[in-house]
Structure formats: structure tokens, C-alpha cells
Amino acid sequence: MPYKWLGLTLCIALLYVGLMMAKGAKESPMESFSSIRRQLASGGYVFVPPGDYTLARTIRLKSGTVLEGRRGCSRIIIDDTFQKGPYYPENEFAVSNAGFSQEYDSATADDITIRGLTFVLTKKNKDPIWCLLGMANIKKLVVEDCDFIVQGQGIGGSNIDLYAGCKNVRITNCYIKNDTGAPYGAAVMVRSLNIDGANPHNATEQVVLAHNIIEKNGNDEAIAVWGCTGRVKDVVVQNNRIKTYGRVPDVVLSAFAGEFNDCSAAQTNNVVFDGNTVTADDLRYAIFQVGQDTDTISRLDDVTISNNKIDVKVAASDRSTVIRTIGQDNYTNIKITDNEITNTGRVPIGYGVLGQGLVTDNVINGLFEASIACVDTCHNNTINDNTTGTAIENVAHIRANVINNCLVGVKCFVTGVFNVAENSINMADHQDSMGIMAIDIAGSRPVVYISGNEINTGGHYHAKILIKEEITNWIK
């Protein structure tokens, strides 16, 4: 018996020693990341094993680096212990590139891939760093299957910033959450903050943001595409799912060149928002905005908003707009086509589509002050169930639209010439329903040409066409 107990005791002791040795051999998260940082100093392929790694200071990735982990398991944490550097980009970004520069140089520009990592920036008592990932002077960047999460208790921050001179960028299949509730901090910025913005070589270009999930609680955009001081061109924002909640951004997605007339060199060209799904618990100002009221000197050309599905509601009726484009002489070729816009609530939204541009083949459902207003051309749209407002308002060219169950089909009341042709208007069954209205307000006297429209009344007798205030230039 004594020998048996002695053997059992020896086995337990050996097992305990083995466990302690194994535990001692395993590095702590900080020690583990230190070894990863040493690998990153050489560049090439670096794998981050599963685990939580606290990042103490900025990572500068060399050209040719492929940084990969196991998504959801390999987590890089930035918290209040992070020590920001004294200079750019170490005082702004947790992860950046070695060749970071506001001017593009093909000899020093970096080629970087980041895959399968989860980055978490947590702000509790202070602002350890502004943004998770910031890049400039990039010749190729691939970011895929990653998570970028910013959490802050009223302290703002951004997730991804393509800061300047970023070329051939693909950000795909990522989860991007900006959950700060703060008045500032974008999820993704695509811009070009150059010293010499007039130099076309410094442009940020050939950028694809596709198949990402973005959740946003806090002001500033989910995605902002803007020239800043330089040029941004050839950007595709496609098949992303975007949800806003809590403090809904004033603007969810934007494309603009400059603002406040700060830089005449700013340009934004060829931007496409296509196939995205946007859901908003509340609408503060706009889901999409193209251009800026404060910008009259920079160039904005070729912006397309197409095939997007937008579900939105408002808590209180106001002048908010789902898609808003700014009318400036320096903005050209804005197209809004094949989108489905739905007011999912019972409170009217200001406008479905408002402003400059070509508006075609969209479906707009629900309550608005005006479903489409003040655009250049409005063709082949379908507008349903706007029983409290106007389907199409003050649009110069209105043709071949289908309007179903709306209080007013077409209304013109500002100075101008309006062509209303070949539309199908099925009026709402309401005593105030109207097919086409022309109203003189304070001497506006709109000139309206009407031809080939089909107007069907509801269950009651209603005037199909109404001319008010002795408009003498009415032509049928």
C-alpha cells in the first residue's frame, strides 16, 4: 500500500510540474505581440495566432507584408493603455504603413495585405488614438475578412481612413462597427489630404469597398468619399449592408470634393454606390448626400447611386431627405437610378430624392412631403402610397412615371418651364387628391406643358388637372 500511494503521489507531482512548465512556456498576450512585432520588422508573411493582444503603440507595416490571423480569434486590442506617438501617423492611427506620406511616390509606396484579424479600439476614460487603420502612399492594399470595432462612451473615433495617395485598394467582407454615440468619427473615409493636391499622381484611386457590414452609432458618415485637398477618383461602394442606430449620422454616405471653399484643387470623379442595403432607425438629414452647400470651387463629376435598397423612418416630420444632391455649377453628371426607397414608418419624411441630377427607374414607397423634388429630369420612376404628399414636385422634365395612390401626382409652383408627358397617375381615393397641379406662389407663374398623361381618379370625383391663381401660360 505505501508503495502504491507513493507512486500515485509521484504521478500527481509530475503532472503538476508539467502543467506549470507548460503554463510558464506560454507567453502573455503582450509578450506574444512583441514577438509578432519583431516579425513585422522583417516584413513578409506574419501570422497572428488566436488570442487577445494588447497593442502598446502604432504598428507600421512594411511593403510586402501579409498580416493574417484567424478571424474572431486573433484580436488586437487598443485601449486606454495605448501610447500614441508625438508625430504623424503615430499620433493618429493604431495601424499604418511604413511609407506613410501625403505625397505619392511609387518608389516608397507600400503593398500590404491584412486578412482575418479583429481590431478593437475601446475608449473609456480618454482618447488613446483616433483611428484604427490609416494608410497613405499605398500602391496596393487588400483588407479582407477582418473586423474593425470602435467602442467609445461618447468619445469619437474612426475605423478606417484612406488618408492620401491610396491606389488599388480592396476592402471586402469586413465587419465595421462604430459604436461611440459621439458627434464625430466616420467608419470609413476615402480621401486624399495632399500637400500638392493639384498633382494628379497624388490621387487616391481605384478603390473598392464591397460586401462589408457597417454598423454606425454616432455622427459622421458610415462611408465618406471626398477629395479633401486633392483628387479622389474611380471608387466603387458595392453590395454593403449598412445599419445606423442610436445617434444616427446626419449623413450616412457621401460623395463630395471639398468644403468651405478651402481648396480649388479638390476633385472627386467617378464614384459609384451600387447594390447597397441601408437601414436607419431614424433619419436626421440624409442617407446619401452628393456635394456640399459650402463648396463652389472644387469639381465633382460622375456620381452614380444605383440599385440600392433603403429602408428608413423618422421620429418626427421634418425636411430630412433620403437622397440629397447639391445643385452647384461645378457638379456634373449625377445619376440616381434603380433604387428602392421605402419610408417604413407612419411619419412623413421631407423628400425621397431632392436636388440636381438625372432620376430614373427608381421605386419610392410611403409617405413624403415630396417623393421626388427639384431634380433635373425624372423618368420611368414608380411612386407608391404617398397619401399625404406629392409624388413629383418642381421637376423640369417629368416623363413616363407611374404614380399610384398619392395625394398629388405632379405639382409645379416655382418659376420655370415644366414638361409633364406620358405619365400614368392613379390618384388616391381622397377628397383633396389631385392629378396635376400648377400654382402661382408670389408671382412664380410656372409654365407647364402637359401631353399624353393618363390620369385615373379614385372612388370620388376629383379634378384631374388644377390651374390656380390665373396662370395664363398653361399649355395642354
Side-chain angles (χ1 to χ4, degrees):
M1 289 294 295
Y3 294 104
K4 183 181 292 187
W5 283 111
L6 179 61
L8 179 60
T9 303
L10 181 60
C11 288
I12 293 173
L14 289 172
L15 177 61
Y16 177 79
V17 171
L19 288 171
M20 291 298 99
M21 290 178 64
K23 184 177 180 180
K26 184 179 179 180
E27 295 178 296
S28 69
M30 183 67 73
E31 292 170 337
S32 180
F33 195 81
S34 296
S35 66
I36 293 169
R37 189 184 289 273
R38 288 193 293 270
Q39 294 178 60
L40 289 172
S42 301
Y45 180 82
V46 177
F47 180 74
V48 180
D52 286 358
Y53 304 93
T54 302
L55 190 64
R57 62 187 190 278
T58 297
I59 307 169
R60 300 288 297 273
L61 302 177
K62 287 188 173 182
S63 189
T65 295
V66 177
L67 181 60
E68 185 169 4
R70 186 179 299 170
R71 186 173 187 176
C73 299
S74 304
R75 296 175 9 119
I76 298 176
I77 310 298
I78 299 93
D79 59 20
D80 289 350
T81 64
F82 185 91
Q83 298 297 314
K84 68 172 66 176
Y87 307 110
Y88 232 72
E90 285 91 347
N91 64 351
E92 185 85 2
F93 307 115
V95 181
S96 189
N97 59 303
F100 189 100
S101 172
Q102 289 180 266
E103 306 302 298
Y104 183 79
D105 182 350
S106 59
T108 61
D110 294 315
D111 179 345
I112 293 169
T113 297
I114 303 173
R115 183 184 298 118
L117 287 168
T118 296
F119 298 88
V120 181
L121 172 55
T122 301
K123 303 184 177 190
K124 292 183 179 179
N125 302 311
K126 65 174 187 176
D127 187 5
I129 197 75
W130 172 252
C131 182
L132 277 171
L133 179 69
M135 297 289 183
N137 191 32
I138 289 286
K139 60 185 172 186
K140 184 179 180 182
L141 175 65
V142 175
V143 180
E144 58 188 7
D145 299 313
C146 290
D147 305 317
F148 295 90
I149 300 169
V150 177
Q151 301 168 329
Q153 300 172 359
I155 304 174
S158 293
N159 301 65
I160 298 172
D161 189 351
L162 303 180
Y163 187 80
C166 293
K167 306 179 189 296
N168 304 306
V169 177
R170 291 188 61 86
I171 300 175
T172 59
N173 297 309
C174 292
Y175 174 63
I176 302 168
K177 184 171 185 176
N178 191 286
D179 187 26
T180 67
Y184 45 83
V188 181
M189 288 190 287
V190 182
R191 56 177 171 163
S192 204
L193 183 53
N194 306 120
I195 296 172
D196 182 8
N199 184 346
H201 296 295
N202 290 328
T204 289
E205 56 188 326
Q206 301 294 333
V207 176
V208 175
L209 308 174
H211 302 285
N212 302 290
I213 297 173
I214 301 176
E215 297 181 355
K216 189 77 169 66
N217 166 29
N219 203 20
D220 285 345
E221 292 92 329
I223 300 175
V225 181
W226 60 303
C228 203
T229 63
R231 185 176 184 182
V232 172
K233 64 176 184 176
D234 303 328
V235 178
V236 176
V237 179
Q238 189 171 49
N239 296 332
N240 302 283
R241 286 190 289 150
I242 300 165
K243 179 181 179 181
T244 65
Y245 62 98
R247 179 175 179 143
V248 176
D250 286 349
V251 177
V252 180
L253 300 108
S254 67
F256 59 102
E259 54 185 344
F260 308 116
N261 288 339
D262 285 340
C263 185
S264 60
Q267 294 185 53
T268 298
N269 314 102
N270 192 25
V271 179
V272 176
F273 297 94
D274 180 79
N276 303 285
T277 299
V278 184
T279 305
D281 288 346
D282 195 7
L283 176 59
R284 294 173 63 90
Y285 184 68
I287 297 295
F288 285 91
Q289 178 168 310
V290 179
Q292 288 281 1
D293 290 313
T294 58
D295 174 32
T296 61
I297 61 174
S298 56
R299 296 293 310 176
L300 178 65
D301 304 297
D302 300 318
V303 178
T304 300
I305 300 173
S306 59
N307 298 298
N308 301 285
K309 188 178 188 303
I310 307 166
D311 292 334
V312 63
K313 59 185 176 181
V314 291
S317 185
D318 56 19
R319 291 299 182 93
S320 55
T321 303
V322 179
I323 300 177
R324 183 174 188 261
T325 66
I326 309 298
Q328 301 280 17
D329 292 339
N330 47 318
Y331 299 165
T332 63
N333 198 24
I334 298 170
K335 299 178 182 178
I336 301 167
T337 178
D338 293 288
N339 302 284
E340 181 181 347
I341 301 170
T342 302
N343 179 356
T344 59
R346 297 183 178 181
V347 179
I349 295 171
Y351 302 97
V353 180
L354 173 69
Q356 177 180 337
L358 172 67
V359 179
T360 66
D361 299 288
N362 302 281
V363 177
I364 304 178
N365 306 306
L367 305 180
F368 298 87
E369 181 176 320
S371 302
I372 300 174
C374 304
V375 301
D376 301 326
T377 301
C378 175
H379 292 170
N380 300 104
N381 301 283
T382 300
I383 301 170
N384 301 313
D385 301 321
N386 188 359
T387 56
T388 61
T390 301
I392 302 173
E393 183 176 278
N394 295 326
V395 175
H397 302 281
I398 304 171
R399 182 176 60 81
N401 301 282
V402 177
I403 299 170
N404 298 313
N405 194 33
C406 295
L407 185 64
V408 178
V410 175
K411 184 189 294 185
C412 305
F413 58 84
V414 299
T415 301
V417 178
F418 302 92
N419 295 276
V420 183
E422 302 174 11
N423 301 282
S424 175
I425 303 174
N426 301 300
M427 296 162 56
D429 186 10
H430 191 281
Q431 63 181 3
D432 295 325
S433 184
M434 190 68 55
I436 300 174
M437 296 179 67
I439 306 173
D440 186 316
I441 297 179
S444 61
R445 293 190 177 275
V447 178
V448 184
Y449 296 85
I450 302 175
S451 64
N453 300 281
E454 178 186 349
I455 305 175
N456 301 308
T457 62
H460 297 83
Y461 173 80
H462 311 293
K464 295 182 179 182
I465 299 176
L466 178 66
I467 307 172
K468 284 192 174 182
E469 305 299 336
E470 299 180 353
I471 297 176
T472 57
N473 291 314
W474 180 277
I475 302 178
K476 285 188 180 181

